[in-house]
Amino acid sequence: MFLSRLDGKFLMSERWIRTLSAKCLLRALHLVAGEHPVPLLFISYLRWIAGKEIAKLCDFQDSLILDGSLVEDDNVRRLVAGYKFSLWSLDVSTINFLIKSLRELKPTAILEFGSGISTICFTRIMVDLHQGTNRVFVYSIEQDEEVAFLVRERLREAGLDRFARVLHAPLIEQAIEGKNIPCYSLPPDKLSSLLTVKPNFIIVDGPSGKKGARFGTLPLVREYVQDQAIFFLDDGLRDEELAVAQQWTKLTYIHVRGVHLLGKGLISGRVSISDGTLPNC
């Protein structure tokens, strides 16, 4: 009995030390890396040290920014002033980072998996970036029909509906890269008619609720986006998204750059339309 108690205390102490070590290392990486991506291998190593999901260790996640008044862009801030952010939304620090990336990269069009407040934000930015151009800038794919309808209504109210398309695409079980997984129903004819301009900026924040579903997003659209399109995968510090990123690294046409330690974690990289080694981002 005495020895078993000692063993139990030792195991608890070991777990506590591993968790504390992982938290300290993660905090240090967050301070040093800033908005730059941390290699996926480092995050996987921290996950091994911690013995638990990295998302549960993040000090910077304790205060996720869900206050729309803290959006840095004036036009976007005014637009979302009356909207309520939730834990399911992209948080404000992530939106600010992506807006900064959009201003820097000036993409032709955005493809977004998972509609919401972010759809309105990014449509506003793209219209500002491409002033005088009257075409679709944001293509958003949503699994929930009610959410898709609501986002279309909000775009219409903001006078942005002609610049964005929101497609309702329910999830279906399908074979993607040798895996039978649930993902958006996006047959080639539907994708071809939707994407009148090939996107070169992809945001993956869906689908939700189905294990492994986000793995299928990039493989489904690789032939319909521009070569070397940049992508961002939200919730990048959860086990599920880290597993998706690891699986993507095994595909020759996807290059995972790393994990940005902001918000809920943001995995970035590039996708090629053909097989082969991708250049460094």
Side-chain angles (χ1 to χ4, degrees):
M1 178 68 75
F2 177 71
L3 289 177
S4 64
R5 286 181 180 178
L6 280 180
D7 288 341
K9 289 182 178 179
F10 175 77
L11 288 173
M12 289 178 63
S13 176
E14 183 185 18
R15 284 196 294 267
W16 181 83
I17 291 171
R18 287 169 67 98
T19 299
L20 181 60
S21 299
K23 287 185 72 171
C24 290
L25 287 170
L26 186 63
R27 190 181 300 120
L29 281 175
H30 179 239
L31 292 174
V32 171
E35 292 184 343
H36 298 287
V38 175
L40 191 61
L41 183 63
F42 287 13
I43 301 300
S44 298
Y45 179 62
L46 281 180
R47 173 65 178 85
W48 175 78
I49 292 175
K52 63 173 66 175
E53 192 172 61
I54 292 293
K56 298 174 181 177
L57 303 179
C58 301
D59 292 337
F60 54 89
Q61 279 199 335
D62 292 341
S63 56
L64 280 177
I65 303 173
L66 301 174
D67 183 354
S69 68
L70 297 178
V71 172
E72 293 172 357
D73 183 273
D74 292 340
N75 288 338
V76 173
R77 184 171 60 253
R78 285 192 291 268
L79 196 59
V80 302
Y83 297 158
K84 182 180 179 181
F85 284 73
S86 73
L87 290 174
W88 298 106
S89 311
L90 289 179
D91 78 294
V92 174
S93 63
T94 300
I95 287 176
N96 285 335
F97 171 79
L98 290 173
I99 287 175
K100 190 184 303 181
S101 299
L102 289 172
R103 292 199 177 282
E104 177 185 337
L105 299 170
K106 296 180 175 58
T108 306
I110 297 172
L111 174 59
E112 177 189 51
F113 291 98
S115 301
I117 293 174
S118 59
T119 313
I120 291 93
C121 294
F122 300 142
T123 303
R124 176 71 269 168
I125 290 297
M126 290 292 282
V127 170
D128 291 345
L129 286 176
H130 299 275
Q131 290 185 15
T133 307
N134 188 12
R135 63 170 176 80
V136 176
F137 297 115
V138 177
Y139 301 92
S140 188
I141 297 171
E142 173 56 46
Q143 70 193 86
D144 188 301
E145 191 169 13
E146 290 185 12
V147 172
F149 175 80
L150 178 60
V151 173
R152 291 191 201 104
E153 284 298 296
R154 286 181 169 178
L155 286 164
R156 183 185 59 78
E157 291 167 1
L160 297 171
D161 50 314
R162 68 184 184 277
F163 302 111
R165 288 183 182 174
V166 181
L167 174 69
H168 170 232
L171 305 190
I172 62 169
E173 194 83 13
Q174 51 193 303
I176 302 174
E177 291 294 354
K179 300 177 184 292
N180 290 319
I181 54 175
C183 200
Y184 298 104
S185 175
L186 293 172
D189 58 335
K190 184 180 285 190
L191 274 173
S192 297
S193 60
L194 172 71
L195 303 176
T196 54
V197 176
K198 282 192 171 185
N200 54 351
F201 195 100
I202 307 168
I203 301 168
V204 184
D205 191 28
S208 62
K210 300 289 183 178
K211 187 175 182 180
R214 293 188 182 184
F215 168 79
T217 53
L218 297 183
L220 279 175
V221 301
R222 62 175 287 212
E223 296 180 6
Y224 301 88
V225 301
Q226 291 186 36
D227 193 30
Q228 306 304 317
I230 191 170
F231 71 82
F232 292 95
L233 169 64
D234 193 38
D235 301 301
L237 293 172
R238 297 193 312 197
D239 282 352
E240 182 60 36
E241 278 64 34
L242 284 173
V244 165
Q246 291 286 3
Q247 292 165 1
W248 279 347
T249 64
K250 299 174 183 177
L251 303 178
T252 57
Y253 55 87
I254 296 179
H255 173 74
V256 177
R257 189 182 181 196
V259 185
H260 302 262
L261 297 178
L262 53 89
K264 293 173 278 186
L266 198 62
I267 296 170
S268 67
R270 290 186 183 273
V271 57
S272 173
I273 61 173
S274 60
D275 293 327
T277 303
L278 298 178
N280 290 330
C281 294

